[in-house]
């Protein structure tokens, strides 16, 4: 795992945007896995500002709330549209987000997995991390081999996300999310985390044991994972000096 520590969320988002820009240069028909929540919003702003060419890019989002219509202001369809898709030249048919209103959820989930496979697999998956270590909406105790499916949110996540809905009670109980196995199939993984409320989850993911109690720790099993975090989210890590040393001594060809 590589851990890149930046002074601010803005600086971290710029590093992440440069990694995505490099992927688009190398592979204009890239398949990008995308995340929602508050964390990637700065990254999307930076990607929009960079005016990249999204003409041949395909995207798959990690998750969506069950029961929300795409135009619900707290839906992830809406968040993606407002923060990224309506500002770039991506083709609507290349955008994939789980359908929170699917009538047959298991069938929809199988189809979503099939679409990812048919698209050639995900080249780079962007992730946030929950305060409980979730990636996508794979809450603690999720199977590390899980695939796209319905999940029930923890009380902690519903509390964390209440600000999107106005109240905790309004946060849906269920979601559709790519599984941890689905995420681990991506060729590269880029996880962003900002703020001291994420510090314990980040430390558990990078330096803790691999455990379903911190789903992000499963990323230790993947060969190409980059955590880009701000100083606050790095504050509980024990090997920060080493991570900084690695970054400062990167060979030029590895730099974004
Ligand atoms: P946040 O959520 O970006 O809103 O903090 C992260 C996540 O739940 O993955």
């Amino acid at each position: 795992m590589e851990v890149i520590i930046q002074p601010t969320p803005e600086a971290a988002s710029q590093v992440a945007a440069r990694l995505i820009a490099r992927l688009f240069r190398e592979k204009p028909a890239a398949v990008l896995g995308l995340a929602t929540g508050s964390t990637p919003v700065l990254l999307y702003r930076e990607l929009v500002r960079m005016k990249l060419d999204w003409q041949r890019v395909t995207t798959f989002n990690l998750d969506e709330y069950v029961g929300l219509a795409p135009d619900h202001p707290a839906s992830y369809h809406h968040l993606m549209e407002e923060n990224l898709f309506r500002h770039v030249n991506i083709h609507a048919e290349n955008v994939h987000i789980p359908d929170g209103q699917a009538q047959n959820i298991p069938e929809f989930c199988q189809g979503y997995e099939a679409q990812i496979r048919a698209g050639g697999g995900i080249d780079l998956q962007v992730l946030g991390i929950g305060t409980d270590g979730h990636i996508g909406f794979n809450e603690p105790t999720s199977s590390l081999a899980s695939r796209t499916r319905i999940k029930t949110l923890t009380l902690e996540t519903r509390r964390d996300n209440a600000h999107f809905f106005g109240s905790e009670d309004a946060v849906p109980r269920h979601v559709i999310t790519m599984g941890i196995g689905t995420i681990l199939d991506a060729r590269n993984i880029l996880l962003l985390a900002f703020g001291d409320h994420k510090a314990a989850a980040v430390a558990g993911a990078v330096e803790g044991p691999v455990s379903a109690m911190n789903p992000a720790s499963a990323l230790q099993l993947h060969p190409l994972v980059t955590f880009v975090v701000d100083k606050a989210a790095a504050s509980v890590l024990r090997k920060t000096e080493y991570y900084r040393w690695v970054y400062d001594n990167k060979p030029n060809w590895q730099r974004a």
Side-chain angles (χ1 to χ4, degrees):
M1 279 174 146
E2 179 177 12
V3 181
I4 300 177
I5 304 167
Q6 293 289 299
T8 62
E10 287 76 13
S13 301
Q14 282 170 15
V15 170
R18 288 204 299 274
L19 291 170
I20 292 173
R22 182 170 73 187
L23 170 68
F24 285 14
R25 269 197 310 278
E26 288 168 356
K27 187 174 180 184
V31 180
L32 200 55
L34 295 174
T36 46
S38 319
T39 304
V41 168
L42 285 172
L43 164 65
Y44 297 152
R45 195 173 299 164
E46 184 60 18
L47 289 173
V48 170
R49 195 195 61 75
M50 289 168 105
K51 295 194 191 312
L52 303 176
D53 186 5
W54 292 72
Q55 193 116 250
R56 297 174 60 201
V57 172
T58 298
T59 62
F60 288 93
N61 264 81
L62 284 166
D63 44 19
E64 179 58 287
Y65 294 103
V66 167
L68 291 199
D71 61 354
H72 187 290
S75 78
Y76 288 157
H77 279 77
H78 185 75
L79 185 146
M80 290 309 303
E81 195 55 31
E82 288 305 305
N83 288 285
L84 182 64
F85 295 141
R86 74 188 185 90
H87 306 287
V88 297
N89 65 339
I90 194 163
H91 292 293
E93 65 271 24
N94 292 342
V95 169
H96 305 85
I97 304 178
D99 177 5
Q101 295 188 304
Q103 287 305 304
N104 183 333
I105 291 178
E107 193 176 283
F108 173 82
C109 294
Q110 274 189 15
Y112 202 66
E113 292 272 338
Q115 280 182 311
I116 295 172
R117 277 196 303 276
I122 292 171
D123 291 304
L124 187 149
Q125 176 68 55
V126 176
L127 297 174
I129 184 169
T131 55
D132 61 4
H134 71 217
I135 47 175
F137 270 135
N138 295 283
E139 299 285 32
T141 73
S142 287
S143 158
L144 302 187
S146 50
R147 311 302 307 187
T148 304
R149 70 212 182 291
I150 188 168
K151 280 296 287 182
T152 307
L153 295 179
T154 59
L155 298 179
E156 181 175 345
T157 298
R158 293 185 65 237
R159 216 166 24 242
D160 286 347
N161 288 5
H163 64 104
F164 287 110
F165 289 86
S167 78
E168 204 174 311
D169 224 32
V171 181
R173 287 166 173 69
H174 297 109
V175 292
I176 293 174
T177 181
M178 280 187 205
I180 297 174
T182 320
I183 292 169
L184 291 175
D185 281 348
R187 284 183 272 277
N188 293 272
I189 295 179
L190 176 59
L191 184 146
L192 291 169
F194 310 138
D196 50 15
H197 61 304
K198 298 291 176 73
V202 167
V206 177
E207 297 175 344
V210 174
S211 162
M213 287 303 284
N214 180 330
S217 67
L219 300 175
Q220 294 176 30
L221 299 170
H222 190 284
L224 288 169
V225 177
T226 307
F227 276 58
V228 188
V229 301
D230 71 350
K231 230 173 126 186
S235 58
V236 186
L237 286 166
R238 280 179 296 157
K239 295 208 159 286
T240 47
E241 215 176 305
Y242 176 60
Y243 307 137
R244 290 186 195 281
W245 172 256
V246 170
Y247 190 63
D248 290 344
N249 289 284
K250 250 180 186 313
N252 272 339
W253 57 270
Q254 268 195 343
R255 289 185 180 277

